[in-house]
Amino acid sequence: MSHRILIVDDSATARMMIQRIFEIAGWQDATFHQAGNGKEALDLLKTEEIDLVMSDYNMPEMDGAQFLRALREDAKFVNLPVIMITSIGNEAREKQLMEAGANAVLPKPVSPPQLNETLVSLFGEVNGG
Amino acid sequence: MADSKQDALIEAVDTALIGTLENMAFAEVVPLRKVPDCEFVDELNVYSVIDLIEPRAGRAVLILSKQLAESITESIYGMFEDGELGPDHQRDAVNEILNTLTGRLCVEMFGEDTIYNLGIPEFGMLAEKAEFQDPSSSWIQIDYSVEGWLLRVLIDTTLS
């Protein structure tokens, strides 16, 4: 079964780039869902089974940290893998997001090798299809 | 602002802009102060602005021509997607570049240990923003040639 991935970013450009980077990294058979902010993502998670969330930090309505906290407060999503991506990524931010429950934090723009390395560390496999 | 601080800020903008545009759009960036005889089209029509919220207030602005915005958007989307590109794609792509650029700039300026936060980028027509057409002395203006087009970065000096 292919992985079901939820990409959360207010920028359509970023969502499109992230999906293609997944595909370049060997996850071309995954099923992709998209949301424009944390609220939309939480709504989508009520109806869709998701195996991995890739979320931006800096978003209107509900930012990535608020989304992450809301997600981890729901017992159903305590173990759902979440990769946070951020343009404001330094060690201090990474520490903050990891403490809030992220499984990994990547700086923008994400590169395919960087993503692949993170996915291997989370899933122990190269191809997510 | 002291010259050394201003020089450090300008170098940080160079590094952030070159890294961002090369990674996202494969675009060649030439700092005009380093290559004064560089030829470029001197036209500026659109802007994107983003606020720095913490650790202190500041603003960063990207100003460019519609044609360069279109070219950068085509480079980004051309790698990934078929189909027609419109103004929404351009606005989104330019905002995303400024967001990424400013994030990189903050890492350059504030280092790894400081938490910083940015606002949401806003895109608009330069003709509607007098403050960006004729910036006051509190702004630092840095000009680049990107693929032969002028691209201007304005930084509120409180950033440094």
Side-chain angles (χ1 to χ4, degrees):
Chain A
M1 187 185 73
S2 67
H3 282 100
R4 295 155 297 192
I5 298 168
L6 172 58
I7 300 169
V8 190
D9 199 308
D10 58 312
S11 164
T13 301
R15 293 197 302 268
M16 178 272 302
M17 290 181 78
I18 291 161
Q19 178 169 333
R20 187 49 61 98
I21 287 164
F22 267 100
E23 291 166 356
I24 291 168
W27 289 53
Q28 62 272 18
D29 294 327
T31 303
F32 294 96
H33 299 270
Q34 298 191 4
N37 60 54
K39 276 185 183 166
E40 283 182 20
L42 289 172
D43 285 343
L44 197 141
L45 282 161
K46 288 175 189 165
T47 56
E48 299 288 342
E49 290 293 324
I50 296 293
D51 303 307
L52 170 68
V53 174
M54 184 99 170
S55 176
D56 187 25
Y57 173 80
N58 193 25
M59 295 183 289
E61 296 282 326
M62 176 186 268
D63 71 27
Q66 292 168 326
F67 167 56
L68 189 57
R69 281 194 291 273
L71 199 64
R72 293 309 187 211
E73 282 170 8
D74 187 330
K76 192 179 168 194
F77 302 121
V78 166
N79 295 315
L80 177 64
V82 178
I83 301 172
M84 297 298 299
I85 43 173
T86 177
S87 60
I88 46 181
N90 61 1
E91 286 173 9
R93 174 71 63 203
E94 182 176 344
K95 183 169 178 279
Q96 185 190 52
L97 291 173
M98 293 300 281
E99 284 173 358
N103 295 85
V105 180
L106 295 177
K108 281 188 177 183
V110 178
S111 70
Q114 221 177 4
L115 178 62
N116 200 43
E117 192 179 315
T118 303
L119 293 172
V120 168
S121 73
L122 289 177
F123 293 100
E125 55 188 298
V126 176
N127 191 325
Chain B
M1 180 187 287
D3 284 350
S4 59
K5 271 194 170 182
Q6 182 161 323
D7 290 347
L9 174 62
I10 291 170
E11 287 296 329
V13 174
D14 282 0
T15 303
L17 183 70
I18 290 168
T20 300
L21 283 177
E22 282 184 351
N23 276 293
M24 291 180 69
F26 301 118
E28 186 190 11
V29 179
V30 180
L32 289 175
R33 71 183 187 287
K34 292 183 179 174
V35 188
D37 58 349
C38 177
E39 290 187 7
F40 59 90
V41 180
D42 181 3
E43 188 176 321
L44 297 170
N45 319 108
V46 296
Y47 72 87
S48 177
V49 58
I50 193 167
D51 290 334
L52 174 67
I53 296 166
E54 64 172 329
R56 65 185 74 142
R59 292 181 109 185
V61 186
L62 203 59
I63 305 173
L64 62 164
S65 65
K66 283 183 191 172
Q67 290 89 341
L68 179 57
E70 196 177 306
S71 170
I72 288 172
T73 307
E74 281 174 2
S75 294
I76 293 173
Y77 278 84
M79 292 186 285
F80 301 122
E81 202 171 69
D82 297 327
E84 204 162 307
L85 297 172
D88 286 351
H89 293 93
Q90 288 170 29
R91 182 194 61 218
D92 198 62
V94 173
N95 282 348
E96 186 63 14
I97 284 170
L98 179 64
N99 186 38
T100 305
L101 159 71
T102 311
R104 282 175 172 242
L105 176 62
C106 286
V107 176
E108 293 281 334
M109 294 304 295
F110 301 128
E112 295 288 345
D113 299 328
T114 305
I115 289 281
Y116 51 91
N117 271 312
L118 303 177
I120 304 296
E122 288 177 21
F123 182 90
M125 301 303 297
L126 185 59
E128 296 162 6
K129 276 280 185 189
E131 64 184 294
F132 299 157
Q133 294 173 58
D134 187 19
S136 70
S137 59
S138 70
W139 293 87
I140 290 177
Q141 175 179 313
I142 314 161
D143 287 347
Y144 300 87
S145 169
V146 178
E147 301 293 318
W149 292 86
L150 177 62
L151 180 144
R152 177 164 293 160
V153 176
L154 298 178
I155 303 288
D156 187 322
T157 50
T158 56
L159 254 178
S160 58

Short mmCIF file of all heavy atoms in Angstrom, two decimals, chain A residues 62-91:
data_model
loop_
_atom_site.label_atom_id
_atom_site.label_comp_id
_atom_site.label_asym_id
_atom_site.label_seq_id
_atom_site.Cartn_x
_atom_site.Cartn_y
_atom_site.Cartn_z
N MET A 62 -3.83 29.27 11.55
CA MET A 62 -3.25 28.42 12.59
C MET A 62 -1.86 28.02 12.13
O MET A 62 -1.71 27.33 11.12
CB MET A 62 -4.11 27.16 12.80
CG MET A 62 -3.52 26.18 13.81
SD MET A 62 -4.46 24.64 13.91
CE MET A 62 -5.59 25.03 15.22
N ASP A 63 -0.84 28.50 12.84
CA ASP A 63 0.52 28.22 12.35
C ASP A 63 0.94 26.78 12.65
O ASP A 63 0.21 26.01 13.30
CB ASP A 63 1.53 29.25 12.88
CG ASP A 63 1.81 29.11 14.38
OD1 ASP A 63 1.67 28.01 14.91
OD2 ASP A 63 2.18 30.13 14.99
N GLY A 64 2.13 26.43 12.19
CA GLY A 64 2.57 25.05 12.28
C GLY A 64 2.72 24.56 13.72
O GLY A 64 2.42 23.40 14.02
N ALA A 65 3.17 25.44 14.60
CA ALA A 65 3.35 25.03 16.00
C ALA A 65 2.00 24.79 16.67
O ALA A 65 1.83 23.82 17.42
CB ALA A 65 4.14 26.10 16.75
N GLN A 66 1.03 25.66 16.39
CA GLN A 66 -0.32 25.48 16.95
C GLN A 66 -0.94 24.19 16.41
O GLN A 66 -1.59 23.44 17.14
CB GLN A 66 -1.21 26.69 16.58
CG GLN A 66 -0.78 27.98 17.27
CD GLN A 66 -1.48 29.20 16.66
OE1 GLN A 66 -1.74 29.24 15.47
NE2 GLN A 66 -1.77 30.18 17.50
N PHE A 67 -0.74 23.96 15.12
CA PHE A 67 -1.25 22.75 14.49
C PHE A 67 -0.62 21.51 15.13
O PHE A 67 -1.31 20.54 15.46
CB PHE A 67 -0.94 22.80 12.99
CG PHE A 67 -1.12 21.50 12.27
CD1 PHE A 67 -2.33 20.81 12.30
CD2 PHE A 67 -0.07 20.94 11.54
CE1 PHE A 67 -2.49 19.61 11.62
CE2 PHE A 67 -0.23 19.74 10.87
CZ PHE A 67 -1.43 19.07 10.91
N LEU A 68 0.68 21.57 15.34
CA LEU A 68 1.40 20.43 15.92
C LEU A 68 0.90 20.13 17.33
O LEU A 68 0.66 18.97 17.69
CB LEU A 68 2.90 20.77 15.95
CG LEU A 68 3.89 19.67 16.33
CD1 LEU A 68 3.75 18.45 15.42
CD2 LEU A 68 5.31 20.22 16.25
N ARG A 69 0.71 21.18 18.12
CA ARG A 69 0.21 20.99 19.49
C ARG A 69 -1.20 20.39 19.48
O ARG A 69 -1.50 19.46 20.23
CB ARG A 69 0.22 22.32 20.25
CG ARG A 69 1.61 22.71 20.77
CD ARG A 69 1.53 23.83 21.79
NE ARG A 69 1.12 25.09 21.19
CZ ARG A 69 1.97 25.96 20.64
NH1 ARG A 69 3.27 25.70 20.64
NH2 ARG A 69 1.54 27.07 20.12
N ALA A 70 -2.05 20.92 18.59
CA ALA A 70 -3.43 20.41 18.50
C ALA A 70 -3.43 18.94 18.08
O ALA A 70 -4.21 18.13 18.59
CB ALA A 70 -4.24 21.24 17.50
N LEU A 71 -2.54 18.63 17.18
CA LEU A 71 -2.44 17.25 16.68
C LEU A 71 -2.02 16.30 17.81
O LEU A 71 -2.61 15.23 18.00
CB LEU A 71 -1.39 17.23 15.56
CG LEU A 71 -1.39 16.07 14.59
CD1 LEU A 71 -2.68 16.04 13.78
CD2 LEU A 71 -0.19 16.19 13.65
N ARG A 72 -1.03 16.70 18.56
CA ARG A 72 -0.50 15.82 19.61
C ARG A 72 -1.43 15.70 20.82
O ARG A 72 -1.32 14.76 21.60
CB ARG A 72 0.89 16.32 20.07
CG ARG A 72 1.99 16.21 19.02
CD ARG A 72 2.08 14.84 18.40
NE ARG A 72 3.24 14.70 17.51
CZ ARG A 72 3.27 13.91 16.45
NH1 ARG A 72 2.19 13.20 16.11
NH2 ARG A 72 4.37 13.82 15.72
N GLU A 73 -2.36 16.66 20.94
CA GLU A 73 -3.34 16.57 22.02
C GLU A 73 -4.41 15.51 21.73
O GLU A 73 -5.12 15.08 22.64
CB GLU A 73 -4.02 17.93 22.24
CG GLU A 73 -3.14 18.89 23.03
CD GLU A 73 -3.71 20.31 23.04
OE1 GLU A 73 -4.85 20.51 22.57
OE2 GLU A 73 -2.99 21.21 23.52
N ASP A 74 -4.52 15.11 20.48
CA ASP A 74 -5.50 14.09 20.10
C ASP A 74 -4.80 12.73 20.13
O ASP A 74 -3.84 12.49 19.38
CB ASP A 74 -6.00 14.41 18.68
CG ASP A 74 -7.16 13.52 18.25
OD1 ASP A 74 -7.21 12.35 18.72
OD2 ASP A 74 -7.99 13.98 17.45
N ALA A 75 -5.31 11.84 20.96
CA ALA A 75 -4.67 10.53 21.15
C ALA A 75 -4.50 9.77 19.83
O ALA A 75 -3.54 9.02 19.66
CB ALA A 75 -5.49 9.70 22.12
N LYS A 76 -5.40 10.03 18.91
CA LYS A 76 -5.35 9.34 17.61
C LYS A 76 -4.09 9.70 16.82
O LYS A 76 -3.63 8.93 15.97
CB LYS A 76 -6.61 9.73 16.83
CG LYS A 76 -6.86 8.90 15.59
CD LYS A 76 -8.14 9.36 14.89
CE LYS A 76 -8.23 8.73 13.51
NZ LYS A 76 -9.23 9.37 12.67
N PHE A 77 -3.56 10.89 17.09
CA PHE A 77 -2.44 11.38 16.27
C PHE A 77 -1.13 11.50 17.03
O PHE A 77 -0.19 12.11 16.55
CB PHE A 77 -2.80 12.74 15.65
CG PHE A 77 -4.04 12.69 14.80
CD1 PHE A 77 -5.14 13.48 15.10
CD2 PHE A 77 -4.11 11.84 13.71
CE1 PHE A 77 -6.28 13.44 14.33
CE2 PHE A 77 -5.26 11.79 12.92
CZ PHE A 77 -6.35 12.58 13.24
N VAL A 78 -1.08 10.92 18.21
CA VAL A 78 0.13 11.03 19.03
C VAL A 78 1.35 10.46 18.31
O VAL A 78 2.46 11.02 18.39
CB VAL A 78 -0.08 10.33 20.40
CG1 VAL A 78 1.24 10.13 21.12
CG2 VAL A 78 -1.01 11.15 21.27
N ASN A 79 1.14 9.39 17.56
CA ASN A 79 2.27 8.74 16.90
C ASN A 79 2.35 9.01 15.40
O ASN A 79 3.16 8.40 14.71
CB ASN A 79 2.21 7.22 17.15
CG ASN A 79 2.39 6.89 18.62
OD1 ASN A 79 3.27 7.44 19.29
ND2 ASN A 79 1.52 6.03 19.15
N LEU A 80 1.50 9.89 14.92
CA LEU A 80 1.54 10.21 13.48
C LEU A 80 2.83 10.98 13.16
O LEU A 80 3.08 12.03 13.75
CB LEU A 80 0.31 11.07 13.11
CG LEU A 80 0.23 11.57 11.67
CD1 LEU A 80 0.08 10.40 10.69
CD2 LEU A 80 -0.95 12.52 11.51
N PRO A 81 3.66 10.46 12.25
CA PRO A 81 4.90 11.18 11.93
C PRO A 81 4.64 12.56 11.33
O PRO A 81 3.83 12.70 10.42
CB PRO A 81 5.59 10.27 10.91
CG PRO A 81 4.98 8.93 11.11
CD PRO A 81 3.57 9.19 11.52
N VAL A 82 5.32 13.56 11.87
CA VAL A 82 5.18 14.94 11.39
C VAL A 82 6.56 15.52 11.12
O VAL A 82 7.41 15.55 12.01
CB VAL A 82 4.45 15.83 12.42
CG1 VAL A 82 4.36 17.27 11.90
CG2 VAL A 82 3.06 15.30 12.73
N ILE A 83 6.75 15.96 9.87
CA ILE A 83 7.98 16.69 9.52
C ILE A 83 7.60 18.16 9.40
O ILE A 83 6.70 18.50 8.63
CB ILE A 83 8.57 16.20 8.19
CG1 ILE A 83 8.90 14.70 8.25
CG2 ILE A 83 9.81 17.01 7.83
CD1 ILE A 83 9.31 14.10 6.91
N MET A 84 8.25 19.01 10.16
CA MET A 84 8.00 20.45 10.06
C MET A 84 9.02 21.05 9.09
O MET A 84 10.21 20.70 9.13
CB MET A 84 8.15 21.13 11.43
CG MET A 84 7.15 20.67 12.49
SD MET A 84 5.42 21.02 12.07
CE MET A 84 5.44 22.82 11.96
N ILE A 85 8.55 21.94 8.23
CA ILE A 85 9.46 22.66 7.34
C ILE A 85 9.33 24.15 7.62
O ILE A 85 8.21 24.63 7.86
CB ILE A 85 9.16 22.37 5.85
CG1 ILE A 85 7.67 22.41 5.59
CG2 ILE A 85 9.79 21.08 5.41
CD1 ILE A 85 7.31 22.29 4.15
N THR A 86 10.42 24.84 7.60
CA THR A 86 10.33 26.26 7.95
C THR A 86 11.43 27.08 7.29
O THR A 86 12.56 26.62 7.13
CB THR A 86 10.39 26.44 9.49
OG1 THR A 86 10.37 27.83 9.78
CG2 THR A 86 11.61 25.79 10.11
N SER A 87 11.03 28.28 6.88
CA SER A 87 12.02 29.23 6.36
C SER A 87 12.79 29.86 7.51
O SER A 87 13.83 30.47 7.31
CB SER A 87 11.33 30.31 5.52
OG SER A 87 10.42 31.02 6.32
N ILE A 88 12.24 29.76 8.71
CA ILE A 88 12.90 30.35 9.88
C ILE A 88 13.51 29.23 10.72
O ILE A 88 13.26 29.11 11.90
CB ILE A 88 11.94 31.25 10.68
CG1 ILE A 88 10.59 30.58 10.88
CG2 ILE A 88 11.73 32.55 9.96
CD1 ILE A 88 9.60 31.43 11.66
N GLY A 89 14.31 28.43 10.04
CA GLY A 89 14.85 27.25 10.68
C GLY A 89 16.27 27.43 11.20
O GLY A 89 17.20 27.54 10.43
N ASN A 90 16.40 27.51 12.48
CA ASN A 90 17.72 27.45 13.10
C ASN A 90 17.64 26.44 14.25
O ASN A 90 16.60 25.81 14.47
CB ASN A 90 18.22 28.82 13.55
CG ASN A 90 17.33 29.46 14.59
OD1 ASN A 90 16.33 28.88 15.02
ND2 ASN A 90 17.67 30.66 15.01
N GLU A 91 18.73 26.29 14.98
CA GLU A 91 18.75 25.27 16.03
C GLU A 91 17.71 25.54 17.12
O GLU A 91 17.09 24.62 17.63
CB GLU A 91 20.16 25.18 16.64
CG GLU A 91 21.14 24.50 15.70
CD GLU A 91 22.57 24.54 16.22
OE1 GLU A 91 22.77 24.95 17.39
OE2 GLU A 91 23.47 24.21 15.45
#
